[in-house]
Amino acid sequence: MPEVYLDHYAASPVLPEVAKAMAPYFTEEFGNPSSLHSRGDAARIAVEEARARVASLLGADPGEIVFTSCGTESNNLAVKGIAWAARRKGNHVVVSAVEHFSVLHAARTLEKFDFEVTEVEVDETGTVDPESVRAAIRPETVLVSVMTANGEVGTIQPVREIAEVARERKIPFHTDAVAAAGCERLEVGELGVDALSLSSDMLCGPKGVAALWVRKGVRLMPLLDGGVQEGGRRGGTENVPGIVGMGLAAHLARDNLDSRAVYLAGMRDALLERLPAAIPHIRVTGHPTRRLPWNASFAIRFIEGEGMLLFLDQKGIKVSSGSACTSRALKGSHVLTACRVPTDIAQGSLLFSFGLENKMADVDYVCEVLPPIVERLRQMSPLYAKYLKEGGG
């Protein structure tokens, strides 16, 4: 039985060359970058080389890169750090309704400190209208945060247009680009943003390391009190092996961006076309064209995601779902809810996220295996039985 891994949005394997580059920094080159001796110098040089590589991916200055532990920390540092630094100017933050929880929950935490938060709605494709952002801005707004792309439904947001709205009002604009890193161009000058989050693992680098780019001149209050690491913006001893790995992963992503996007989009498009042709009562979620090249997401009516995940796993296929029954939080997808996908349909959500090791044969296998699974589960579904009894077909 083949093993088909299509859950790269959750985790991806580290590229072999990245793992090889990291290895010496666990053993021979174990120094602390803050140490004033040769071992510390070697570690510090490695960190700064990695910083330059990450900056190059973004078309940024290396001094504007802050290394963190994960995308969640980068988003928290941006949302809380920028808002708190501007507290004397105002107490209002604008975010979209489809942001990652690390942005939404960070904003809600600010509400406990007398901030006000406006969540801008999206349309049925998950797209934010820049004019909705304009309407949400107040005189006391100190931050706008809208993601570059949504990893769950794949929709790519009009970031440049939203950034222009924020710039007109002289409000810092942050974008969570974690889902887009490595497959979309993220030149910060072209995007017009003021802060941008990205994570190593979405670049096929190691977990446990990420970065926040902050434009020079944007004030940022640190969340971690400690030493002077990262220019005083994020204290704590640097994760040197992880940073080295992220640096190389960013370098490889920059050099192979277009070819990777084309390769992934070929498999994505094949699955988006073939599954609806093979399975009745299926809905593609997200935007039909402005979509991440690795993302194919669906909502299948009359069944729940949990059952599909279990049966697919038995066939060697690993995917994910936004269904409440597959969530440790026991709540359905806030993204699908914001996109106005009916609850009964959203319960049958599936996300296929492709990686560099996948092949078109994996699409063939999914299209062979999934339709019989759906039919089997529907035969056990009271909702489907009721639908047929009422004359559906």
Side-chain angles (χ1 to χ4, degrees):
M1 180 176 67
E3 173 89 7
V4 177
Y5 186 82
L6 293 169
D7 195 16
H8 290 83
Y9 185 49
S12 290
V14 176
L15 292 171
E17 54 266 58
V18 171
K20 183 178 179 181
M22 293 170 61
Y25 295 92
F26 289 107
T27 52
E28 297 96 337
E29 301 295 343
F30 57 84
N32 186 321
S34 297
S35 297
L36 298 178
H37 48 61
S38 57
R39 289 242 185 242
D41 289 342
R44 184 170 58 257
I45 290 170
V47 167
E48 294 312 313
E49 287 178 349
R51 196 186 309 278
R53 283 176 157 177
V54 173
S56 180
L57 177 67
L58 304 178
D61 187 292
E64 299 171 320
I65 300 295
V66 181
F67 286 116
T68 67
S69 65
C70 58
T72 289
E73 185 189 344
S74 291
N75 284 338
N76 270 261
L77 179 56
V79 172
K80 296 175 184 175
I82 293 174
W84 276 332
R87 183 64 183 84
R88 291 185 179 180
K89 296 181 179 179
N91 67 333
H92 180 240
V93 173
V94 176
V95 299
S96 87
V98 294
E99 296 301 305
H100 189 272
F101 278 140
S102 57
V103 168
L104 289 178
H105 289 175
R108 290 168 189 169
T109 294
L110 288 173
E111 290 181 316
K112 300 176 183 178
F113 297 88
D114 297 324
F115 279 83
E116 295 183 10
V117 177
T118 298
E119 288 187 16
V120 175
E121 294 185 357
V122 297
D123 65 16
E124 292 186 354
T125 70
T127 303
V128 176
D129 183 349
E131 291 306 311
S132 296
V133 175
R134 187 189 304 277
I137 291 175
R138 308 175 188 170
E140 63 270 25
T141 303
V142 294
L143 175 68
V144 174
S145 181
V146 176
M147 61 188 4
T148 306
N150 185 276
E152 184 175 341
V153 297
T155 299
I156 298 173
Q157 302 293 352
V159 172
R160 293 174 183 81
E161 293 84 350
I162 298 171
E164 178 61 29
V165 169
R167 188 161 54 251
E168 289 172 3
R169 301 290 292 271
K170 295 182 170 56
I171 299 168
F173 176 57
H174 163 253
T175 188
D176 170 7
V178 168
C183 61
E184 292 291 317
R185 295 206 171 275
L186 298 174
E187 296 280 339
V188 291
E190 183 180 331
L191 291 174
V193 300
D194 298 294
L196 181 148
S197 304
L198 68 162
S199 181
S200 167
D201 52 336
M202 290 301 293
L203 297 169
C204 299
K207 301 178 186 64
V209 62
L212 174 67
W213 169 80
V214 186
R215 185 185 301 279
K216 285 181 180 177
V218 174
R219 294 184 62 227
L220 183 76
M221 181 176 289
L223 299 187
L224 298 180
D225 294 321
V228 297
Q229 294 91 346
E230 299 305 297
R233 296 168 294 187
R234 200 270 186 183
T237 301
E238 298 90 341
N239 173 8
V240 178
I243 289 171
V244 167
M246 183 176 186
L248 180 54
H251 175 73
L252 294 171
R254 186 202 64 181
D255 287 355
N256 299 283
L257 193 71
D258 293 337
S259 60
R260 285 185 182 182
V262 169
Y263 180 71
L264 295 170
M267 294 180 287
R268 174 204 65 187
D269 292 344
L271 195 62
L272 289 174
E273 178 182 354
R274 292 173 62 180
L275 277 189
I279 300 173
H281 312 297
I282 185 174
R283 171 175 173 173
V284 176
T285 55
H287 198 280
T289 56
R290 294 198 305 273
R291 190 181 195 98
L292 291 168
W294 52 260
N295 176 292
S297 59
F298 306 87
I300 303 177
R301 196 177 174 191
F302 303 120
I303 50 180
E304 293 188 345
E306 180 182 28
M308 288 186 286
L309 259 60
L310 293 174
F311 279 109
L312 285 168
D313 191 38
Q314 290 176 2
K315 294 291 186 178
I317 300 173
K318 322 298 182 187
V319 297
S320 61
S321 169
S323 167
C325 55
T326 66
S327 169
R328 295 187 186 275
L330 299 180
K331 292 182 179 180
S333 164
H334 71 287
V335 174
L336 296 180
T337 298
C339 295
R340 294 181 282 285
V341 177
T343 303
D344 61 327
I345 300 176
Q347 288 302 311
S349 69
L350 283 182
L351 168 58
F352 299 87
S353 45
F354 292 92
L356 299 178
E357 78 277 13
N358 288 125
K359 304 184 185 308
M360 194 62 75
D362 298 333
V363 175
D364 296 337
Y365 187 55
V366 169
C367 292
E368 172 191 337
V369 168
L370 183 56
I373 288 175
V374 171
E375 181 60 27
R376 179 179 177 184
L377 289 171
R378 280 181 175 161
Q379 293 305 316
M380 297 184 287
S381 168
L383 293 176
Y384 190 57
K386 180 180 178 183
Y387 171 78
L388 293 177
K389 186 176 181 180
E390 293 176 349

